Amino acid sequence: MDSQFSTVFPATLPRLGVLGGMGPMATIDFLRKLVLATPAQRDQDHIPLVVRFCAEVPDRTEALTGRGASPRDALIAAARELAAAGARALAMPCNTAHVWHDAIAEALPSLPFLHIVDGVVDELAAHQSAGPIGLLATSGTLRAQIYQSRARNLSWLEPTTDELERLVMPGIRAVKASRQTEAHALLNEAARTLVARGARAVVMGCTEVPLALEPLAQSERQIGVPLIDSNAALARGCVAWAQAAARNTATACA
């Protein structure tokens, strides 16, 4: 069969656990992109999923800026629920929550935990993007240096404090409130501002941002550089994990 999964009985494919709900629409977007990225010919070729919609988790940016409770314990508890439900790896379609990636991974050492930044770095390599990389992300993600600390070899260009407060954070909040026209105008301007300051590509380092800038091809034409979708990058990383797991299972059963 053409599918890369179909040589393995569907029941042997390991489940992927998704720590979602941060925000809700971003998780739906991730799941859609995961399905589209999967080289499936039939329902049974898709990755089995267990999704924990963690909308109740304290706000990540509020925690990182000292204005709210930490989500650490709630995230670890949700990850344990996924493990109990049979997940054999974890993915989390929220950039800012990756501040607690290592804490979650340490609490569940037997589960691989795919990192969203790794997927983005692979996408940048595929685009052969050289020069400064613009980063549209929450103030919490920027403060925690999630991208900069994991991809130190890249030159990152961040929004200024003014751009963050006037464009980026209001744009992200507009997505969460389903005000798409407002969100598009704000985040499109934020991306254009990064390009005007020298960005050769722009990473949408908050999973709400791609929702505001769709359709992606049209936004890329307006902005003038590649837009790297962290949700899509994570989805492709999950497919690669599932393909490797399927091959390993097939080899073990041979």
Side-chain angles (χ1 to χ4, degrees), residues 11-240:
T12 68
L13 286 173
R15 294 179 182 178
L16 174 67
V18 179
L19 275 169
M22 304 172 284
M25 191 59 72
T27 299
I28 300 301
D29 180 58
F30 167 74
L31 295 174
R32 180 177 68 86
K33 288 168 180 172
L34 180 62
V35 169
L36 292 174
T38 302
Q41 302 299 314
R42 56 180 186 163
D43 294 348
Q44 292 79 10
D45 294 336
H46 284 277
I47 303 168
L49 300 176
V50 185
V51 181
R52 176 64 166 85
F53 216 64
C54 307
E56 78 282 2
V57 168
D59 187 274
R60 285 65 58 198
T61 295
E62 293 290 310
L64 291 170
T65 53
R67 298 193 298 269
S70 171
R72 177 186 178 276
D73 291 347
L75 288 170
I76 290 173
R80 285 179 170 147
E81 289 179 31
L82 292 172
R88 293 296 174 261
L90 298 175
M92 185 164 58
C94 174
N95 284 269
T96 309
H98 276 70
V99 169
W100 295 276
H101 175 279
D102 290 351
I104 299 167
E106 289 171 8
L108 293 97
S110 64
L111 290 189
F113 193 174
L114 305 174
H115 200 293
I116 201 166
V117 175
D118 295 342
V120 167
V121 170
D122 289 343
E123 294 286 307
L124 287 167
H127 279 80
Q128 298 182 326
S129 297
I133 307 299
L135 180 58
L136 284 181
T138 67
S139 53
T141 294
L142 296 174
R143 175 174 292 202
Q145 298 282 287
I146 294 170
Y147 277 82
Q148 296 87 334
S149 63
R150 198 165 180 94
R152 298 179 186 276
N153 60 316
L154 298 177
S155 174
W156 296 98
L157 183 62
E158 300 180 16
T160 65
T161 300
D162 173 69
E163 292 160 3
L164 193 63
E165 294 178 352
R166 183 171 54 86
L167 300 172
V168 180
M169 292 305 295
I172 291 168
R173 286 192 288 269
V175 174
K176 289 180 180 290
S178 299
R179 301 194 304 270
Q180 296 303 110
T181 301
E182 176 187 348
H184 177 86
L186 290 166
L187 292 168
N188 184 286
E189 184 179 347
R192 284 170 169 265
T193 302
L194 289 172
V195 172
R197 291 200 279 114
R200 299 297 185 183
V202 173
V203 169
M204 296 182 285
C206 170
T207 50
E208 268 79 29
V209 175
L211 293 165
L213 295 181
E214 288 183 340
L216 184 60
Q218 179 179 328
S219 289
E220 284 186 332
R221 287 194 298 271
Q222 294 172 348
I223 293 165
V225 300
L227 294 173
I228 308 302
D229 182 343
S230 58
N231 242 354
L234 179 61
R236 283 187 275 271
C238 292
V239 171

